[in-house]
Amino acid sequence: MKSYTKYLEFNTKNRKAFINITPEVEEALTQSKIRQGLCLVNAMHITSSVFINDDEEGLHRDFDTWLEWLAPFSKEKYRHNLSGEDNADAHLKRTIMGREVVVAVTEGKLDFGPWEQIFYGEFDGQRKKRVLVKIIGE
Ligand code: ZN
């Protein structure tokens, strides 16, 4: 069995962002030369997510509105922020949107369902963050 590891780096201009990272993951898969297996993609920070959904601008704005309704940004509202941090909302958003995805690799391609794309969700950005891509198979 072969394995391949790659770290993607992000430093978003804004505090929050959704970034389609499918091309970077496909590039890693090409470099891995793995034809059959599994591809794990996970955020390496507890205030950012990796998730799969549609690459549609309206949906991304809906996600943002929904997340702000569930866990609005606030310095005062959360006990976590009593520690001196201001990112409690980002921890909650990350938990809702998830840590990682696993995509099957078939014939050297990510075996997606219709419209599926992989996204990095940033909820406390403007600093260096990483995503791990780990591909195993043969
Ligand atoms: Zn925190």
Side-chain angles (χ1 to χ4, degrees), residues 6 8 10 19-31 133:
K6 185 173 190 177
L8 309 178
F10 302 90
I19 300 169
N20 187 338
I21 60 171
T22 311
E24 285 86 349
V25 178
E26 286 174 336
E27 189 185 322
L29 178 55
T30 301
Q31 289 164 356
V133 181

Side-chain angles (χ1 to χ4, degrees), residues 46-47 80-81 83 85 87-88 91:
I46 52 181
T47 54
H80 177 63
N81 290 346
S83 68
E85 294 194 66
N87 64 1
H91 290 280

Side-chain angles (χ1 to χ4, degrees), residues 123-136:
F123 307 113
D124 183 20
Q126 298 168 315
R127 58 198 170 99
K128 204 170 127 187
K129 300 277 202 77
R130 292 195 302 165
V131 163
L132 170 64
V133 181
K134 186 89 174 187
I135 307 165
I136 58 170

